[in-house]
Amino acid sequence: MKARAIDVRHSIGRVLLSSIFNGGKKLLSKGHRIEGDDVRMLESEALRDVWVAELEEGDVGEDDAVLLVANHIGNGSLEIRPAVGGRANLFTTESCCVLVDSELLKKTNSTSALVIATSRNFSYARPGQRVSTIKSAPFAVTKPQLESLLSLLAENGPVLQARPIRTPVVAVLYSDPGSGERASRLFGTILGQRLEGLGNIAGPAVNSVEEELAVADALERLLKSRPTVILIASTTSPAGPYDVVGRAMERVGCQIERFLAPVEPGTLLLLGYKDDVPILSAPGCFRSAKPNVLDFVLPPMLAKYRLSSWDIASLGQGGLLD
């Protein structure tokens, strides 16, 4: 693209490089395509020349460029909505968990041609929520720049996935050394509010005294309901995966995936899997409505994404919530 000043009389059909002001009054905006009435108005304001942007051979207009990229950066339950000024937005079409490849996002944003902004990795998105914006450099990008970016996305993409959350079931085990009913009284209301914020997804709940055999028996009963995830709302903090809750999880055949999360509040997270069902203990987090580790890990679990130990390790940046 090149910029040049031309006579107002010859400017019809051209695109303004910058906004035009006269005496502090804005006459026309940057990016405006000049029409006959504009020429007459500019002449009446005693303006003789205007700066315009001209596409050169090999240039791709900003609107076309962002739409091409928007079609390649994401997959899942998404729709593209063009916006003015070389911009395109991605919106969810149903309840989703947003998955973001942060390394690929950094690579795509290292170009000077376009930039991409997304929601946080593992965040929950309501239907119709904007989860990404693609913005072009003003007016145009060069074809080689665009082709390089599209090639990067084709080889390594997508940058973003909107993984749908469809009819999930969250089972809850309330446990306490004295009485499971005590844990239910302490945690039930707050936990219910958090689950309601994720689409009213509460499922079966049982109470258990916090002893290995009793917790294991309660887990077995909940597993028979085939839940999407099981939450263990315990009033005690585990000393590690070999404490009462961890031993009970292993007793029912659970594979321990991770103990400790770099998220505060929520460092004492314990995550395991019984086949494809995640079982999660996050002591203290169930009694608080404030942001904590549950807000990071529940959306991907509800979308049936298998969180790994590495995924949890990656939560440290931005994990200080309190």
Side-chain angles (χ1 to χ4, degrees), residues 152-218:
L152 176 68
L153 293 171
E155 293 173 8
N156 302 281
V159 169
L160 177 144
Q161 298 180 54
R163 194 177 177 102
I165 297 175
R166 294 171 179 160
T167 60
V169 175
V170 177
V172 183
L173 192 165
Y174 294 101
S175 70
D176 176 82
S179 165
E181 287 79 7
R182 176 174 179 270
S184 179
R185 289 194 303 271
L186 286 172
F187 302 150
T189 299
I190 296 297
L191 180 54
Q193 291 171 352
R194 177 172 261 109
L195 296 180
E196 186 175 352
L198 295 170
N200 196 19
I201 53 178
V206 298
N207 302 326
S208 171
V209 64
E210 195 157 301
E211 296 173 353
E212 181 179 337
L213 291 177
V215 172
D217 179 68

Side-chain angles (χ1 to χ4, degrees), residues 25-70:
K25 180 176 67 173
K26 187 175 183 179
L27 303 178
L28 294 172
S29 298
K30 177 184 72 174
H32 178 76
R33 190 173 296 277
I34 300 173
E35 300 177 352
D37 289 343
D38 300 322
V39 170
R40 288 185 285 275
M41 181 268 294
L42 293 172
E43 289 181 322
S44 71
E45 295 282 344
L47 295 176
R48 297 291 174 259
D49 297 306
V50 290
W51 280 90
V52 297
E54 292 187 343
L55 299 190
E56 300 180 281
E57 186 176 352
D59 284 341
V60 179
E62 58 181 2
D63 292 334
D64 291 334
V66 294
L67 284 177
L68 279 169
V69 173

Side-chain angles (χ1 to χ4, degrees), residues 69-71 73-75 78-81 88-92 129-134 160:
V69 173
N71 276 289
I73 70 163
N75 64 23
L78 293 169
E79 68 175 7
I80 300 168
R81 300 183 193 174
N89 298 313
L90 298 182
F91 288 79
T92 55
Q129 181 174 326
R130 182 173 65 162
V131 293
S132 182
T133 290
I134 305 98
L160 177 144

